[in-house]
Amino acid sequence: MANPLFDRLFGIHAGKATPFLHLPDGEIVTHQDFLGRAAQIANVFAQTGLEPGDRVAAQVEKSPEALALYAACVQAGLIFLPLNTAYTADELTYFIENSGASVVVCDGRREATLAPIAKRLGAAVETLNGDGSGTLMDQAAAMPVAFATVERKGDDLAAFLYTSGTTGRSKGAMLTQDNLLSNAETLVREWRFTDSDVLLHALPIFHTHGLFVASNVTLAAGGSMIFLPKFDVDVVLEKLPQATTMMGVPTFYTRLLGDDRFTRELAEPMRLFISGSAPLLAETHVQFEQRTGHRILERYGMTETNMNTSNPYDGERRAGTVGFPLPGVELKITDAESGEVLPQGEIGQIEVRGPNVFKGYWQMPEKTAAELREDGFFITGDLGRIDEDGYVHIVGRNKDLIISGGYNIYPKEIELVLDEQPGVLESAVIGVPHPDFGETVLGIVVPVSGQSPDLEAMMVAVQQSLARFKHPRKLILLDELPRNTMGKVQKNILRERYKDMFVG
Ligand code: MLC
Ligand code: AMP
């Protein structure tokens, strides 16, 4: 095949006037329309001189054109780099610089801020607004609706997805064509997706979940998606009767359960509800079944690995577990010190290997070596165990990570900003339970002796440099942080102390 990812996900739909995207206003984008738009965008990039392997950074609202931008990059052999729309200019500067992006596609409202940054870093800027307008589609409109697909091999890079790290510096996870395609094909089979499926898509498309799991699976199966700009409970309830499947983070399911209009009658005709990106509480799983008769299918994945495990489609979907390793994925539980496999049933670090596992972090060989073993096993940073029936349980994390509403937040990034503020000696940022987001961010600040730092000014500083979802929901002053004998901050003690701050 000339370009396996493009051919298998997109090319197979060439010339089909079948629905691909159902938009909120009732408009339908057919496969043919979609591929035409993608080809036009690919032509724009080819004409501006982009070469296979160049990076295209995109911080754009969810729209059919934004998804076509992804397809265009695959078709033109470019590396797609989607970015959270909440990222600030500071955050974007790092991603553009680190990736060496040749083009930055952004919303028109951000152009004035981003243009000088991009110029300094040698990247061109195009705009793409949520309604599909902007310089990118203006140029695309004049282009042919066909494009000679650029040849690629399975091992070639298709996307960079940045993930934050424990040191506060984000790392670009390099995903190959094979990583994405193998996972999509496995999930289509495991979850029984077909061309009659209509997926209710309310996730963002700048992460693995909404972009690769939801969209690639739909494309590989030849189905369609109800393509909503975001999760809005009113719209989701209205559109549910036209859907057969839905994928979401746990917050989607707790919000639906919190609404009386979400009845058994409404949900029962659905074929499948899938959850992932954050732990689904066993109690949510049980309540969902009581309300709807459906058992949510929970699966476990990561940016670096795509999907690793899934509860079974036909067998028992066990609450509080993430099911079994997917076909082709090896999963082992090891001792964090020795790396040895632990006896069955014991808790240890989860390691995975398979065609789904990424190639490494862009230009960070030491970080890659620290997490991706030479034998191909990736150390996920999650802690788990395998029960006597083979179900994988995630019991915690070996990495200092907060997951809020399905978004990952690394405390170090926030601590670095807090520590710089006047009158601050040090800080500790922790995740505490939250009824809507699962976990939320709490910042604990230790003042320099005799000083009383201004917490409001501190929040303003955080707002300037970090995306909204990373902002602490509260800042607390504390005289000193609990430490162990090695001098390490004992965040577990802080998490325990403040666990009821937002619940109960
Ligand atoms: C929005 N806000 C958040 C937030 N999302 N704050 C913390 N955590 C979040 N996840 C901000 C908003 O900007 C707003 O700020 C305030 O919090 C309340 O917003 P809201 O209206 O309640 O939020 P909403 O827009 O409805 O978004 C919540 C959400 C959304 C859960 C629907 O965050 C979402 O779609 N999450 C999905 C994330 C995802 O796709 N993760 C997959 C990663 S891939 P203000 O200023 O108004 O107070 C991965 C691998 C895998 O993990 O396994 O899948
Ligand atoms: P990300 O880096 O955004 O891809 O997030 C990946 C992390 O999300 C994993 O390492 C897990 O910690 C967490 N995660 C994903 N799915 C699940 C799940 N079903 N249950 C618990 N944690 C999950």
Side-chain angles (χ1 to χ4, degrees):
M1 273 206 236
N3 179 327
L5 188 63
F6 186 81
D7 298 344
R8 179 69 189 88
L9 295 189
F10 303 100
I12 52 166
H13 306 301
K16 285 193 210 160
T18 40
F20 173 43
L21 303 176
H22 308 266
L23 305 183
D25 63 1
E27 192 198 325
I28 288 176
V29 178
T30 65
H31 284 103
Q32 197 174 358
D33 293 342
F34 180 79
L35 290 176
R37 279 184 229 187
Q40 289 179 313
I41 299 172
N43 277 306
V44 172
F45 288 149
Q47 282 213 354
T48 38
L50 292 196
E51 308 246 339
D54 284 348
R55 274 78 63 204
V56 174
Q59 191 196 38
V60 290
E61 295 296 332
K62 186 174 172 184
S63 68
E65 290 77 12
L67 195 62
L69 175 58
Y70 159 55
C73 289
V74 179
Q75 188 167 24
L78 302 166
I79 299 175
F80 185 53
L81 196 170
L83 293 161
N84 194 321
T85 45
Y87 287 146
T88 62
D90 281 2
E91 289 166 316
L92 291 171
T93 306
Y94 173 81
F95 298 125
I96 300 167
E97 183 161 25
N98 184 266
S99 66
S102 304
V103 183
V104 180
V105 184
C106 67
D107 194 284
R109 289 168 301 184
R110 304 212 76 183
E111 190 186 7
T113 313
L114 281 180
I117 298 170
K119 191 169 176 214
R120 180 169 61 77
L121 299 172
V125 174
E126 300 292 349
T127 59
L128 174 59
N129 304 316
D131 62 2
S133 62
T135 62
L136 183 67
M137 298 317 289
D138 285 350
Q139 295 171 74
M143 293 289 169
V145 291
F147 180 80
T149 303
V150 169
E151 198 158 317
R152 293 271 92 183
K153 293 192 294 298
D155 199 32
D156 284 329
L157 298 179
F160 282 3
L161 258 59
Y162 275 80
T163 75
S164 304
T166 40
T167 57
R169 261 185 89 207
S170 288
K171 304 165 285 185
M174 299 187 286
L175 293 155
T176 67
Q177 287 225 336
D178 273 349
N179 293 152
L180 305 181
L181 188 54
S182 65
N183 215 234
E185 290 186 326
T186 300
L187 298 176
V188 168
R189 284 193 296 273
E190 289 299 296
W191 297 339
R192 313 280 194 273
F193 270 78
T194 71
D195 58 5
S196 6
D197 271 309
V198 182
L199 175 88
L200 196 149
H201 193 305
L203 288 157
I205 54 167
F206 42 70
H207 277 311
T208 297
H209 198 162
L211 185 62
F212 300 141
V213 188
S215 307
N216 285 356
V217 164
T218 303
L219 282 157
S224 62
M225 302 193 271
I226 300 172
F227 206 60
L228 304 178
K230 59 171 286 200
F231 183 89
D232 174 326
V233 78
D234 294 332
V235 183
V236 168
L237 289 169
E238 181 200 321
K239 299 289 180 189
L240 213 52
Q242 288 132 49
T244 63
T245 56
M246 176 172 146
M247 292 184 191
V249 295
T251 301
F252 286 17
Y253 296 110
T254 51
R255 286 189 182 180
L256 281 173
L257 284 171
D259 197 304
D260 292 339
R261 294 170 296 171
F262 184 58
T263 58
R264 190 179 200 96
E265 203 188 0
L266 194 71
E268 213 165 30
M270 289 278 283
R271 180 176 77 77
L272 183 62
F273 291 94
I274 301 174
S275 176
S277 307
L280 182 79
L281 295 178
E283 119 201 2
T284 309
H285 192 277
V286 171
Q287 271 179 23
F288 199 89
E289 186 178 11
Q290 282 166 353
R291 175 87 66 93
T292 66
H294 280 280
R295 290 176 82 93
I296 297 175
L297 185 152
E298 185 173 7
R299 69 10 169 228
Y300 157 58
M302 287 185 79
T303 299
E304 289 93 333
T305 65
N306 299 284
M307 298 305 102
N308 295 312
T309 73
S310 172
N311 268 281
Y313 188 81
D314 290 321
E316 184 199 351
R317 297 178 197 162
R318 197 170 281 186
T321 83
V322 293
F324 308 110
L326 288 164
V329 178
E330 294 168 80
L331 184 148
K332 60 184 186 179
I333 306 289
T334 61
D335 180 86
E337 297 293 314
S338 66
E340 295 297 317
V341 175
L342 290 168
Q344 197 276 318
E346 283 191 20
I347 294 174
Q349 59 181 9
I350 300 178
E351 297 191 29
V352 292
R353 176 165 74 179
N356 52 316
V357 174
F358 77 140
K359 228 179 164 173
Y361 297 113
W362 169 248
Q363 292 182 337
M364 291 188 181
E366 319 78 45
K367 297 223 184 266
T368 303
E371 293 176 43
L372 189 57
R373 295 187 193 277
E374 269 178 20
D375 64 4
F377 271 98
F378 177 66
I379 305 166
T380 61
D382 292 308
L383 297 174
R385 71 178 172 88
I386 302 177
D387 70 19
E388 57 290 356
D389 298 322
Y391 286 83
V392 177
H393 298 237
I394 298 180
V395 298
R397 292 173 210 138
N398 216 2
K399 49 192 174 189
D400 195 10
L401 166 71
I402 300 167
I403 306 184
S404 164
Y407 286 146
N408 282 8
I409 300 162
Y410 277 87
K412 190 76 192 169
E413 237 187 315
I414 306 159
E415 288 162 0
L416 287 173
V417 178
L418 295 178
D419 291 350
E420 273 179 8
Q421 303 313 309
V424 174
L425 179 67
E426 61 175 350
S427 64
V429 168
I430 56 168
V432 289
H434 188 274
D436 187 30
F437 291 133
E439 274 183 302
T440 197
V441 182
L442 179 67
I444 297 152
V445 174
V446 178
V448 173
S449 175
Q451 297 202 24
S452 34
D454 179 349
L455 294 183
E456 265 175 44
M458 226 177 270
M459 282 304 281
V460 172
V462 169
Q463 279 153 17
Q464 272 161 3
S465 47
L466 299 175
R468 168 73 183 121
F469 67 90
K470 299 178 188 171
H471 299 174
R473 293 292 142 147
K474 199 170 166 63
L475 287 175
I476 292 178
L477 289 174
L478 200 66
D479 287 342
E480 67 179 326
L481 298 174
R483 291 183 188 276
N484 65 14
T485 48
M486 309 286 288
K488 195 170 179 298
V489 176
Q490 290 169 303
K491 287 199 170 177
N492 52 331
I493 294 184
L494 294 172
R495 280 192 285 263
E496 181 57 28
R497 192 182 298 166
Y498 298 112
K499 70 178 188 314
D500 297 326
M501 182 141 265
F502 297 95
V503 289

